[in-house]
Amino acid sequence: MKHTLLMLMLIPIQAAVAVAATTTGFNFNNSQRKRDALKQNLICACREKEGLCTPQIRRDIESMIEELGPLNPTSNSARSPLLKREWKLRWTSEKEINLFLTNGWSNDISQTIIEGNGGASKLQNNISFVRGGFFSVAGEVNTDSELRLRTNFEFREATLDLARWGRYRFPPVGKGWFDTIYLDSSLRIDTNSRGDILICESCEN
């Protein structure tokens, strides 16, 4: 008798758990589908507008980012291992970088972040030239002690490779920070200390 009463008491609890699990799964699947659709729309827009950043284009990109941002699956992005890999630039508002794209000097711009040996992580930005050679800047990055999205960087060296015309090294001037406001295994969105936006896809995909 006691066993029967106990079982009857547990039935509503089991039912509630089952409903909660179903609802949670439903909400998760909905969020995943929405995130995937927003990502696809953003990447398509970036590829169509590569190298271009009029005020209207920037507003359109920012609008898509605002929709995608709340679905960011990586809350502590600056410290996430997902950040440490090679990333291919898909769109940026940085005028200096867009100059290489719109003039046809480059169609391959990337950034690589790797774990340092017992110290700061390493960062390298690379612009490969269509006719051979490249321009790159390298430095160090550190996470901010208070802001979970922020990475501080400082460039240490720059290299200009002009293929058959030689390679030249010189000290770069530049330091600042970037906030990774969206990060998963395939997509990364940054805003930075210059007020610019960078949208990248992982080279591992």
PDB file of all heavy atoms in Angstrom, residues 25-37:
ATOM      1  N   GLY A  25      14.632  20.931 -24.453  1.00  0.00           N
ATOM      2  CA  GLY A  25      15.151  20.458 -25.724  1.00  0.00           C
ATOM      3  C   GLY A  25      14.565  21.226 -26.889  1.00  0.00           C
ATOM      4  O   GLY A  25      15.271  21.577 -27.845  1.00  0.00           O
ATOM      5  N   PHE A  26      13.274  21.513 -26.805  1.00  0.00           N
ATOM      6  CA  PHE A  26      12.603  22.277 -27.861  1.00  0.00           C
ATOM      7  C   PHE A  26      13.194  23.672 -27.982  1.00  0.00           C
ATOM      8  O   PHE A  26      13.493  24.146 -29.075  1.00  0.00           O
ATOM      9  CB  PHE A  26      11.107  22.362 -27.547  1.00  0.00           C
ATOM     10  CG  PHE A  26      10.319  23.169 -28.543  1.00  0.00           C
ATOM     11  CD1 PHE A  26       9.985  22.629 -29.772  1.00  0.00           C
ATOM     12  CD2 PHE A  26       9.923  24.470 -28.244  1.00  0.00           C
ATOM     13  CE1 PHE A  26       9.262  23.378 -30.710  1.00  0.00           C
ATOM     14  CE2 PHE A  26       9.205  25.217 -29.158  1.00  0.00           C
ATOM     15  CZ  PHE A  26       8.865  24.668 -30.394  1.00  0.00           C
ATOM     16  N   ASN A  27      13.383  24.340 -26.817  1.00  0.00           N
ATOM     17  CA  ASN A  27      13.952  25.688 -26.831  1.00  0.00           C
ATOM     18  C   ASN A  27      15.378  25.685 -27.353  1.00  0.00           C
ATOM     19  O   ASN A  27      15.785  26.579 -28.096  1.00  0.00           O
ATOM     20  CB  ASN A  27      13.908  26.288 -25.421  1.00  0.00           C
ATOM     21  CG  ASN A  27      12.489  26.624 -24.982  1.00  0.00           C
ATOM     22  OD1 ASN A  27      11.609  26.797 -25.822  1.00  0.00           O
ATOM     23  ND2 ASN A  27      12.278  26.692 -23.686  1.00  0.00           N
ATOM     24  N   PHE A  28      16.156  24.675 -26.959  1.00  0.00           N
ATOM     25  CA  PHE A  28      17.538  24.572 -27.425  1.00  0.00           C
ATOM     26  C   PHE A  28      17.586  24.407 -28.935  1.00  0.00           C
ATOM     27  O   PHE A  28      18.372  25.068 -29.622  1.00  0.00           O
ATOM     28  CB  PHE A  28      18.232  23.397 -26.743  1.00  0.00           C
ATOM     29  CG  PHE A  28      19.618  23.146 -27.280  1.00  0.00           C
ATOM     30  CD1 PHE A  28      20.692  23.905 -26.842  1.00  0.00           C
ATOM     31  CD2 PHE A  28      19.844  22.154 -28.236  1.00  0.00           C
ATOM     32  CE1 PHE A  28      21.975  23.693 -27.346  1.00  0.00           C
ATOM     33  CE2 PHE A  28      21.115  21.932 -28.741  1.00  0.00           C
ATOM     34  CZ  PHE A  28      22.175  22.704 -28.294  1.00  0.00           C
ATOM     35  N   ASN A  29      16.743  23.508 -29.448  1.00  0.00           N
ATOM     36  CA  ASN A  29      16.724  23.276 -30.893  1.00  0.00           C
ATOM     37  C   ASN A  29      16.290  24.516 -31.656  1.00  0.00           C
ATOM     38  O   ASN A  29      16.825  24.819 -32.728  1.00  0.00           O
ATOM     39  CB  ASN A  29      15.792  22.101 -31.224  1.00  0.00           C
ATOM     40  CG  ASN A  29      16.353  20.770 -30.758  1.00  0.00           C
ATOM     41  OD1 ASN A  29      17.566  20.621 -30.629  1.00  0.00           O
ATOM     42  ND2 ASN A  29      15.482  19.808 -30.491  1.00  0.00           N
ATOM     43  N   ASN A  30      15.321  25.236 -31.097  1.00  0.00           N
ATOM     44  CA  ASN A  30      14.871  26.473 -31.730  1.00  0.00           C
ATOM     45  C   ASN A  30      15.984  27.510 -31.768  1.00  0.00           C
ATOM     46  O   ASN A  30      16.194  28.182 -32.777  1.00  0.00           O
ATOM     47  CB  ASN A  30      13.657  27.046 -30.985  1.00  0.00           C
ATOM     48  CG  ASN A  30      12.348  26.497 -31.529  1.00  0.00           C
ATOM     49  OD1 ASN A  30      12.339  25.739 -32.494  1.00  0.00           O
ATOM     50  ND2 ASN A  30      11.256  26.872 -30.902  1.00  0.00           N
ATOM     51  N   SER A  31      16.700  27.659 -30.641  1.00  0.00           N
ATOM     52  CA  SER A  31      17.804  28.614 -30.568  1.00  0.00           C
ATOM     53  C   SER A  31      18.911  28.246 -31.548  1.00  0.00           C
ATOM     54  O   SER A  31      19.492  29.103 -32.204  1.00  0.00           O
ATOM     55  CB  SER A  31      18.368  28.676 -29.144  1.00  0.00           C
ATOM     56  OG  SER A  31      17.406  29.167 -28.239  1.00  0.00           O
ATOM     57  N   GLN A  32      19.187  26.942 -31.639  1.00  0.00           N
ATOM     58  CA  GLN A  32      20.233  26.470 -32.554  1.00  0.00           C
ATOM     59  C   GLN A  32      19.864  26.764 -33.998  1.00  0.00           C
ATOM     60  O   GLN A  32      20.694  27.234 -34.787  1.00  0.00           O
ATOM     61  CB  GLN A  32      20.450  24.968 -32.361  1.00  0.00           C
ATOM     62  CG  GLN A  32      21.569  24.385 -33.223  1.00  0.00           C
ATOM     63  CD  GLN A  32      22.936  24.902 -32.816  1.00  0.00           C
ATOM     64  OE1 GLN A  32      23.287  24.847 -31.643  1.00  0.00           O
ATOM     65  NE2 GLN A  32      23.692  25.418 -33.760  1.00  0.00           N
ATOM     66  N   ARG A  33      18.615  26.484 -34.343  1.00  0.00           N
ATOM     67  CA  ARG A  33      18.169  26.756 -35.719  1.00  0.00           C
ATOM     68  C   ARG A  33      18.212  28.246 -36.035  1.00  0.00           C
ATOM     69  O   ARG A  33      18.637  28.652 -37.118  1.00  0.00           O
ATOM     70  CB  ARG A  33      16.754  26.197 -35.932  1.00  0.00           C
ATOM     71  CG  ARG A  33      16.703  24.688 -36.122  1.00  0.00           C
ATOM     72  CD  ARG A  33      15.357  24.274 -36.669  1.00  0.00           C
ATOM     73  NE  ARG A  33      14.315  24.461 -35.678  1.00  0.00           N
ATOM     74  CZ  ARG A  33      13.924  23.512 -34.818  1.00  0.00           C
ATOM     75  NH1 ARG A  33      14.514  22.335 -34.819  1.00  0.00           N
ATOM     76  NH2 ARG A  33      12.956  23.753 -33.959  1.00  0.00           N
ATOM     77  N   LYS A  34      17.782  29.054 -35.071  1.00  0.00           N
ATOM     78  CA  LYS A  34      17.798  30.499 -35.274  1.00  0.00           C
ATOM     79  C   LYS A  34      19.224  31.004 -35.421  1.00  0.00           C
ATOM     80  O   LYS A  34      19.528  31.829 -36.299  1.00  0.00           O
ATOM     81  CB  LYS A  34      17.106  31.210 -34.102  1.00  0.00           C
ATOM     82  CG  LYS A  34      17.031  32.725 -34.263  1.00  0.00           C
ATOM     83  CD  LYS A  34      16.302  33.369 -33.094  1.00  0.00           C
ATOM     84  CE  LYS A  34      16.227  34.884 -33.268  1.00  0.00           C
ATOM     85  NZ  LYS A  34      15.528  35.533 -32.128  1.00  0.00           N
ATOM     86  N   ARG A  35      20.129  30.511 -34.567  1.00  0.00           N
ATOM     87  CA  ARG A  35      21.531  30.914 -34.631  1.00  0.00           C
ATOM     88  C   ARG A  35      22.150  30.528 -35.966  1.00  0.00           C
ATOM     89  O   ARG A  35      22.839  31.328 -36.592  1.00  0.00           O
ATOM     90  CB  ARG A  35      22.308  30.288 -33.473  1.00  0.00           C
ATOM     91  CG  ARG A  35      23.792  30.661 -33.474  1.00  0.00           C
ATOM     92  CD  ARG A  35      24.464  30.375 -32.144  1.00  0.00           C
ATOM     93  NE  ARG A  35      24.341  28.989 -31.746  1.00  0.00           N
ATOM     94  CZ  ARG A  35      23.777  28.573 -30.625  1.00  0.00           C
ATOM     95  NH1 ARG A  35      23.267  29.444 -29.774  1.00  0.00           N
ATOM     96  NH2 ARG A  35      23.723  27.292 -30.329  1.00  0.00           N
ATOM     97  N   ASP A  36      21.883  29.319 -36.416  1.00  0.00           N
ATOM     98  CA  ASP A  36      22.445  28.859 -37.691  1.00  0.00           C
ATOM     99  C   ASP A  36      21.941  29.713 -38.862  1.00  0.00           C
ATOM    100  O   ASP A  36      22.711  30.043 -39.763  1.00  0.00           O
ATOM    101  CB  ASP A  36      22.092  27.388 -37.930  1.00  0.00           C
ATOM    102  CG  ASP A  36      22.826  26.453 -36.978  1.00  0.00           C
ATOM    103  OD1 ASP A  36      23.808  26.900 -36.347  1.00  0.00           O
ATOM    104  OD2 ASP A  36      22.411  25.284 -36.865  1.00  0.00           O
ATOM    105  N   ALA A  37      20.651  30.051 -38.830  1.00  0.00           N
ATOM    106  CA  ALA A  37      20.079  30.864 -39.907  1.00  0.00           C
ATOM    107  C   ALA A  37      20.676  32.268 -39.911  1.00  0.00           C
ATOM    108  O   ALA A  37      21.019  32.811 -40.970  1.00  0.00           O
ATOM    109  CB  ALA A  37      18.558  30.938 -39.761  1.00  0.00           C
TER     110      ALA A  37
END
